[in-house]
Amino acid sequence: MKVPQTKRRAAASIVAGFGLLFQIHVAIADQSATEIIAKVDEIRNPQIDYRATVKITSVRPDETPRESSYELMIKGRERAIIKGLEPASNRGRILLMKALDLWAYLPNLSQPLRISLRERLMGEASNADVARANLSGDYDAALDGEDVIEGRTYKRLVLKAKSPEVPYGGVRLWVASESLYPYRAEFYGPSGKILKRCTYDRFREMEGTIRPTRIILFDPLNQNQRTTIDYESMHAEPLPDKYFNDDYLKKLS
Amino acid sequence: MALRRRCIAGLLILHCALTQIARAEVPHAPAFTLPPASAEVWGESESAELPPQVAPASPSATSERLLSAEVSLDDGASKNTTDRPTVDVGGWARSQIAARAGHSTRLTKLRQTLFVEQNSTVTPSLRFHSSQRFQYDAAYDLTDHFPEPVREDERTEIELREGYVDYSEGPFDLRLGKQQVVWGESVGLFFADTVNARDLREFVLPDFDLIRIPEWSADIEYTQSDQHVEFVWIPYPVFNRFGRVGSEYSPIQPQRLPPNTIFEREQEPANQLENSVLGTRVGRLIDGWDLNLFFLYTWDRSALPFHTYDGQNFYVYPQYRRLNQFGYTVSKTYGDIVARSEFVYSQGGYLLTNDPTDSDGLIKRDYADYVVGADVPLSDSIESNFQIIQRAVFRYQSTIQRNEALNTMISIRIAGKYLDGDLEPEFLWITSVDKLDMLMRPRVRYHLTDAWQIVSGADLFQGNEDGLFGQFNDRNRVYGQVEYYF
């Protein structure tokens, strides 16, 4: 049977229209996902200069938990300093992160050394886990659906690295549907292998906003092996540009 | 000229290699697909506290409020502490034992070291720092195989290690006092790290921090986020310290000297301003490339063994000579790989020669030392570093000793972290391709507690005794140490 040309045109127009609508829908959804992770970034890491103190506790089965504490100096989304405070063997060690470049100052060398971003700080916590919260800068985000967990609805987002240099190849992130607070996340390597999972916990007011002040990182192969990052204090303070130069680290040690 | 061309060609090849490492194609991450989400892996109630259901205030409003400095701090502990004067005291204690390994086993070290440092912040722009080292080595009292001059030199050490004041004004900083100035970041050996003299009484085996000799100096710096300019002035430079004849790592082995050798006392340059060391360094971070250029008007910090023979005696009269050094350091990360290179051109150096027509046994030649290397992670727990090291001697003559026209070394370092970072095995291997000598340094560090660490290892030398490492081929040692941090 031969379909009239006008009908074929109409069908083509409808298909094209649906296609366009689908594209617009995807674009809006992605735009929304981008806005969501920007919001998550702002909750975790306000775009200001601030200092914070952080305690990291590493728990392994049948072992005494290990604790260390650090001072963070954060300038916007791209610059961070992690300064070892305790234990004494960590004192004077400093990490500088500028975008995706990282230096370590070691007192027994008295010199800054360039290191890679994935180097572990303690337990499951990498330098990036502690000092970098820039999901919107590092990843392309897309909404992946919703989950109801313990009676609450969470948006599920899939984040894929914008470049091979960012800390993880991909992230699956759950955020509270209404408030957009982060709830939990899974972090993947470039091959798609899961590296760690985390939950955001202990929501407290810090510098005028309620924020997750505890991040618990789990070894995906051993749920009992976990590292807790506790943000113990945070205060806004202008930090000079020069602090964030590797040659200046010796003056901060 | 041919050598110069070869060196330039070599440098170009090394730089191309570095660039290739930096530009290496890494699969772009978005190519992968995340595995499906699974609720089971999370278990029940992994998060002890559910997130708030009310959205926070708009980001811009929050940020503006914080930046307006009218924020009432929610936590007493979070008040700005940088305005209050503070004094911090810390340090470490270390107990070391070492023994020469091989056919002539003997105790070579039983050393107790206490290192204490104080940091005082008077105002945010004024800070004092001092550190002291107290050291006693019982091996010089419990054994009798070291000559008295060595015992006197190495048995005890009490020193003001560093003592300086830091003053800061905007982007300018002044550090005045006894201090270390560090310009290099290579592994295992010194290259661009040429500002301070070195304590080489234990060769290059101690921590670099303890090898460098802090010197009274002024260090003026201008620092912005991505750029840095530095001027260094050392008015009264000090010189490298070597182990005295008969010490474990003395470069002078009596059995290798000609008969009837007479050493004259070395004459260090007088403490006059004209003998100052001056240097400048300019650094900039460009697209992830951390580049520094430097120039140093300095001295060859090692006494040059000028010598002569009068038919009966062999006279050695060590002297110091000026040296101009300029070069660069550069590093770049690409993914997990960190590539770095250093280059130092030394103008006015002296090298040993056996030319019979030469009157003092040394010949003036320029030379360049350079290194290209990369840190490459081998797994989640294992890091590695590879370096190619070369020295090129310009206007080379076959009579020059201990150096070829182009000398090549290779170093490999493998380091691991296990048991949540408590166990840190490490292996460093440096070998000279030309001399076929090498240094191997296996070592294991174990963190007993947060404060206590134990270390065990060996320093193994092999090869031709004319080589940098082979000269100590009968001085292999094994060691152990206990460290306490406070």
Side-chain angles (χ1 to χ4, degrees):
Chain A
M1 192 177 71
K2 195 175 180 182
V3 181
Q5 195 177 12
T6 50
K7 282 191 178 178
R8 284 207 306 271
R9 280 183 182 166
S13 300
I14 290 166
V15 170
F18 272 114
L20 186 61
L21 279 173
F22 178 73
Q23 290 295 324
I24 291 168
H25 169 77
V26 168
I28 289 171
D30 286 351
Q31 173 75 21
S32 170
T34 304
E35 286 170 1
I36 290 170
I37 59 169
K39 190 89 173 172
V40 171
D41 283 340
E42 183 61 30
I43 290 170
R44 280 205 52 209
N45 184 16
Q47 281 237 28
I48 54 167
D49 295 8
Y50 67 90
R51 287 180 193 254
T53 52
V54 170
K55 186 174 84 179
I56 300 181
T57 309
S58 174
V59 177
R60 297 193 160 230
D62 306 322
E63 286 183 25
T64 310
R66 298 276 299 273
E67 289 185 357
S68 59
S69 59
Y70 301 88
E71 180 184 12
L72 302 186
M73 287 177 254
I74 310 281
K75 194 171 182 70
R77 291 273 154 75
E78 296 286 313
R79 289 183 283 181
I81 287 167
I82 308 174
K83 183 177 169 183
L85 300 176
E86 294 293 338
S89 55
N90 257 354
R91 208 177 293 144
R93 290 187 180 196
I94 304 179
L95 292 163
L96 165 66
M97 190 181 297
K98 288 169 76 169
L100 296 167
D101 295 312
L102 193 66
W103 290 261
Y105 178 85
L106 305 175
N108 64 332
L109 297 178
S110 293
Q111 65 196 73
L113 282 177
R114 200 87 182 255
I115 62 172
S116 80
L117 199 59
R118 288 190 184 93
E119 203 153 299
R120 287 185 183 199
L121 194 62
M122 185 183 177
E124 307 305 313
S126 70
N127 303 308
D129 293 327
V130 176
R132 188 169 175 83
N134 190 9
L135 296 174
S136 52
D138 292 346
Y139 302 94
D140 289 319
L143 280 168
D144 189 40
E146 289 189 339
D147 290 316
V148 177
I149 304 166
E150 296 182 25
R152 289 197 187 181
T153 307
Y154 296 90
K155 292 180 189 294
R156 193 174 65 241
L157 295 98
V158 168
L159 282 57
K160 291 184 181 180
K162 287 180 177 174
S163 86
E165 291 155 319
V166 304
Y168 300 103
V171 182
R172 179 175 281 119
L173 175 70
W174 285 261
V175 300
S177 271
E178 296 297 319
S179 62
L180 302 183
Y181 272 93
Y183 174 58
R184 68 189 189 189
E186 294 171 342
F187 299 92
Y188 294 85
S191 64
K193 177 190 170 192
I194 187 162
L195 300 177
K196 63 184 82 164
R197 298 202 303 275
C198 92
T199 59
Y200 299 91
D201 196 1
R202 215 173 65 167
F203 294 85
R204 302 282 183 276
E205 183 168 333
M206 266 193 170
E207 281 299 354
T209 299
I210 292 176
R211 308 175 194 280
T213 61
R214 169 173 287 176
I215 299 169
I216 308 171
L217 299 162
F218 300 91
D219 181 332
L221 301 177
N222 186 349
Q223 195 75 358
N224 295 322
Q225 197 162 299
R226 58 184 68 184
T227 301
T228 304
I229 304 171
D230 283 309
Y231 290 79
E232 297 192 321
S233 69
M234 177 188 276
H235 67 270
E237 178 189 329
L239 297 169
D241 271 349
K242 66 181 181 181
Y243 280 19
F244 301 88
N245 187 307
D246 56 305
D247 280 305
Y248 203 79
L249 297 183
K250 60 181 181 280
K251 309 241 164 153
L252 300 175
S253 69
Chain B
M1 286 303 289
L3 176 64
R4 198 179 294 264
R5 279 199 298 274
R6 279 169 61 197
C7 291
I8 291 168
L11 272 175
L12 284 172
I13 290 166
L14 291 172
H15 276 268
C16 287
L18 188 66
T19 308
Q20 286 305 312
I21 289 170
R23 288 180 179 168
E25 283 295 323
V26 175
H28 196 264
F32 78 74
T33 306
L34 293 186
S38 168
E40 288 80 44
V41 296
W42 285 94
E44 289 297 317
S45 300
E46 283 295 357
S47 181
E49 190 177 314
L50 296 177
Q53 290 184 291
V54 180
S58 75
S60 56
T62 307
S63 296
E64 278 171 22
R65 203 159 64 83
L66 292 172
L67 289 171
S68 71
E70 292 173 357
V71 179
S72 62
L73 297 171
D74 54 280
D75 177 359
S78 67
K79 284 180 182 168
N80 182 356
T81 55
T82 56
D83 291 338
R84 285 187 240 133
T86 60
V87 180
D88 294 322
V89 179
W92 49 263
R94 181 181 289 167
S95 183
Q96 295 171 291
I97 183 167
R100 190 190 294 181
H103 57 275
S104 57
T105 304
R106 56 164 67 165
L107 179 71
T108 57
K109 191 198 276 191
L110 190 57
R111 185 178 291 173
Q112 316 302 317
T113 308
L114 175 65
F115 187 93
V116 185
E117 59 183 343
Q118 306 84 33
N119 286 304
S120 313
T121 304
V122 182
T123 69
S125 59
L126 187 64
R127 194 176 81 120
F128 292 95
H129 170 89
S130 72
S131 58
Q132 304 83 35
R133 179 170 61 160
F134 308 90
Q135 194 164 287
Y136 166 66
D137 197 329
Y140 296 96
D141 287 325
L142 297 176
T143 68
D144 57 4
H145 45 247
F146 293 107
E148 186 58 25
V150 176
R151 183 175 177 275
E152 282 176 13
D153 187 45
E154 301 197 23
R155 190 173 71 116
T156 55
E157 191 95 39
I158 298 174
E159 67 165 344
L160 170 68
R161 187 74 191 149
E162 290 188 289
Y164 54 75
V165 56
D166 273 332
Y167 180 71
S168 175
E169 189 64 54
F172 293 96
D173 286 83
L174 168 67
R175 178 169 284 187
L176 201 60
K178 196 180 184 200
Q179 59 183 300
Q180 300 180 36
V181 178
V182 185
W183 286 359
E185 57 177 74
S186 284
V187 173
L189 292 171
F190 290 88
F191 291 92
D193 196 351
T194 61
V195 180
N196 286 108
R198 296 165 200 157
D199 183 347
L200 299 167
R201 287 177 294 173
E202 272 189 273
F203 191 47
V204 292
L205 303 179
D207 287 343
F208 277 16
D209 187 44
L210 297 176
I211 293 178
R212 285 185 216 102
I213 300 176
E215 295 182 66
W216 293 97
S217 49
D219 189 12
I220 302 164
E221 294 173 271
Y222 171 85
T223 314
Q224 291 285 9
S225 179
D226 288 342
Q227 55 194 335
H228 175 253
V229 182
E230 182 175 7
F231 298 95
V232 178
W233 176 42
I234 304 175
Y236 307 125
V238 298
F239 294 86
N240 291 348
R241 291 184 74 177
F242 291 95
R244 293 186 178 173
V245 176
S247 70
E248 195 64 2
Y249 294 105
S250 170
I252 300 168
Q253 307 289 337
Q255 70 276 17
R256 294 175 191 165
L257 292 173
N260 301 326
T261 298
I262 296 170
F263 279 92
E264 292 185 4
R265 192 176 175 81
E266 61 192 53
Q267 296 294 319
E268 291 187 358
N271 281 344
Q272 296 170 344
L273 290 182
E274 65 195 40
N275 291 330
S276 294
V277 167
L278 292 164
T280 184
R281 187 169 68 127
V282 180
R284 191 167 175 84
L285 184 66
I286 308 165
D287 288 336
W289 290 88
D290 189 3
L291 175 66
N292 286 280
L293 304 173
F294 63 85
F295 172 76
L296 195 63
Y297 175 61
T298 184
W299 292 86
D300 190 329
R301 297 298 187 100
S302 297
L304 298 162
F306 288 97
H307 54 267
T308 186
Y309 182 64
D310 67 358
Q312 280 191 320
N313 295 314
F314 189 75
Y315 293 96
V316 182
Y317 50 104
Q319 294 189 359
Y320 293 91
R321 290 287 186 271
R322 276 288 189 184
L323 198 62
N324 290 319
Q325 293 187 308
F326 53 88
Y328 71 72
T329 65
V330 64
S331 64
K332 163 80 176 166
T333 53
Y334 196 79
D336 290 347
I337 295 173
V338 180
R340 56 171 69 93
S341 174
E342 295 184 11
F343 173 91
V344 185
Y345 186 94
S346 298
Q347 184 187 46
Y350 284 83
L351 301 171
L352 280 169
T353 177
N354 58 9
D355 184 347
T357 63
D358 191 278
S359 60
D360 58 16
L362 289 165
I363 187 168
K364 194 172 185 179
R365 286 291 181 271
D366 294 355
Y367 49 86
D369 295 288
Y370 43 93
V371 54
V372 176
D375 296 341
V376 182
L378 301 181
S379 73
D380 278 355
S381 311
I382 304 176
E383 294 282 329
S384 67
N385 171 272
F386 302 91
Q387 293 185 145
I388 298 172
I389 301 155
Q390 287 193 319
R391 166 174 283 192
V393 179
F394 297 93
R395 295 192 295 124
Y396 184 77
Q397 289 179 357
S398 58
T399 54
I400 291 176
Q401 293 180 285
R402 296 188 182 177
N403 281 283
E404 307 295 329
L406 195 62
N407 308 269
T408 304
M409 289 198 285
I410 294 169
S411 81
I412 298 174
R413 178 178 174 269
I414 311 282
K417 280 191 178 180
Y418 299 96
L419 305 177
D420 200 13
D422 282 347
L423 183 67
E424 298 181 79
E426 179 184 330
F427 182 76
L428 174 65
W429 177 68
I430 311 176
T431 184
S432 164
V433 174
D434 311 293
K435 299 285 183 186
L436 296 177
D437 63 333
M438 66 179 74
L439 167 63
M440 291 178 287
R441 306 192 69 188
R443 187 171 81 158
V444 178
R445 178 179 291 272
Y446 183 70
H447 299 245
L448 283 169
T449 67
D450 285 341
W452 290 92
Q453 298 179 13
I454 53 173
V455 182
S456 180
D459 298 314
L460 308 172
F461 300 88
Q462 281 189 9
N464 188 328
E465 66 182 29
D466 287 338
L468 179 66
F469 308 118
Q471 64 179 319
F472 302 121
N473 60 13
D474 57 350
R475 304 299 160 99
N476 294 335
R477 75 174 182 185
V478 291
Y479 64 88
Q481 64 192 44
V482 180
E483 297 173 356
Y484 174 73
Y485 293 85
F486 57 93

